[in-house]
Amino acid sequence: MTILPFGLLACAAGEAKSGLGPADSSPIVSISITPDTASLAMGGTVTFSASAAHEDGSNSDPEVTWSATGGSVTAAGVYTAGTSVGTYRVVAVEASGIVADTATVVISASPPVLEAVILVPTTVSLAAGTIQQFSVSGQWSNGSSTAPAVTYSATGGTVSTSGRYTAGSTAGTFRVIATQQGGT
């Protein structure tokens, strides 16, 4: 940095302009937001940042005002997705209000998570060779009880892929197990 007469400062090309007054810095010609696109689930967050390109070829971290068309964004660029699925915009406007950039945010619904497989009936007493139909329902993170796809197995007797159990000829206590297909 060079000190010029009358207390003015001159910066080398590529040097940040932070802290210099408007008359002492090269004009900003563009703002760039990073990342320029983001995909989030409802309620998810991402932090955006802005950089400025100046007329003299240098770059800086400009003062910007953030806004969003869906969800919310803080003064520091932290975006929080709202509860509506869709495509939204996050905008950074440079302090002069002349230069801006826009990022795209895609909000998708989070699929519900299976919390439990509920097997019905929970207990049954059967004579050898008799049949009992079992069924399942799910306990999902969104409160629904839709039946998940399951695989049945038994520790004694046999059980079909549809949950139809046939008691074996050996007396004892056995289990019918329903396990989510492709899950835990």
Side-chain angles (χ1 to χ4, degrees):
M1 197 171 320
T2 306
I3 298 178
L4 299 174
F6 308 108
L8 296 176
L9 301 174
C11 294
E15 203 172 297
K17 305 295 189 243
S18 178
L20 298 178
D24 301 327
S25 64
S26 176
I28 294 174
V29 294
S30 68
I31 298 285
S32 297
I33 296 177
T34 304
D36 61 351
T37 59
S39 295
L40 299 171
M42 288 184 247
T45 63
V46 64
T47 301
F48 289 98
S49 63
S51 62
H54 293 265
E55 193 173 80
D56 66 2
S58 64
N59 296 305
S60 68
D61 296 328
E63 290 184 38
V64 296
T65 301
W66 295 97
S67 62
T69 60
S72 62
V73 64
T74 68
V78 178
Y79 175 83
T80 302
T83 57
S84 297
V85 172
T87 301
Y88 300 96
R89 305 260 183 271
V90 173
V91 180
V93 179
E94 189 266 330
S96 70
I98 298 171
V99 184
D101 192 23
T102 303
T104 302
V105 178
V106 178
I107 300 174
S108 59
S110 300
V113 175
L114 182 63
E115 297 172 336
V117 174
I118 302 165
L119 185 65
V120 177
T122 57
T123 304
V124 65
S125 295
L126 300 173
T130 58
I131 296 171
Q132 174 66 49
Q133 180 66 50
F134 286 89
S135 63
V136 296
S137 63
Q139 179 180 326
W140 297 88
S141 60
N142 65 356
S144 71
S145 60
T146 305
V150 297
T151 301
Y152 289 96
S153 60
T155 60
T158 59
V159 64
S160 71
T161 57
S162 64
R164 185 179 165 113
Y165 175 78
T166 304
S169 58
T170 305
T173 302
F174 303 99
R175 295 177 63 192
V176 172
I177 303 162
T179 305
Q180 178 190 15
Q181 291 179 1
T184 57

